[in-house]
Amino acid sequence: AREDVIHMLKTEKTKPEVLEAHYGSAAPESVLRVLHRDAILAQEKSIGEDVYEKPMSELDRLEEKQKETYRRMLEQLLLAEKCHRRTVYELENEKHKHTDYMNKSDDFTNLLEQERER
């Protein structure tokens, strides 16, 4: 008897009439209509504000975060470019120093050869 009562209660909950009485419809509805219906049943704010307000604020927050990240990445890029320029300048400077040293060395070698020939 207990099993019969449990079975009867389960089938009673799934009857279309019960679903229609509780939810207003027994057939599947669109998601927004279901959310609107549930909001009315729960006596919350209207669904238009709840559905769109939070995603828009999250989108604004995400946009601000992206702008901040872009700014920081740009700063890092500029810093890397400055470091690269400095390194290239130092290498060019060393190249000129080396060229000058080799020229002076050649001049000194030529002077020594001239002295030897005398």
Side-chain angles (χ1 to χ4, degrees), residues 13-29 37:
K13 284 185 178 178
T14 59
K15 286 183 182 177
E17 298 85 20
V18 174
L19 292 174
E20 189 171 350
H22 188 267
Y23 294 114
S25 174
E29 299 180 36
R37 179 204 62 220

Side-chain angles (χ1 to χ4, degrees), residues 99-113:
T99 305
D100 289 344
Y101 175 77
M102 292 307 288
N103 288 338
K104 287 180 183 178
S105 178
D106 288 343
D107 290 343
F108 183 70
T109 305
N110 287 338
L111 283 174
L112 287 177
E113 286 180 11

Side-chain angles (χ1 to χ4, degrees), residues 46-86:
S46 73
I47 195 66
E49 295 173 18
D50 291 342
V51 169
Y52 299 110
E53 187 175 324
K54 186 174 180 182
M56 289 305 290
S57 64
E58 288 296 316
L59 184 61
D60 292 340
R61 187 185 64 76
L62 180 65
E63 184 180 1
E64 289 301 317
K65 187 72 169 176
Q66 189 274 336
K67 285 179 182 178
E68 176 64 23
T69 304
Y70 176 77
R71 186 190 61 76
R72 286 187 297 156
M73 290 180 69
L74 192 59
E75 286 176 0
Q76 291 294 320
L77 182 62
L78 292 174
L79 186 64
E81 186 179 359
K82 182 179 175 182
C83 184
H84 176 70
R85 270 196 216 125
R86 186 175 350 116

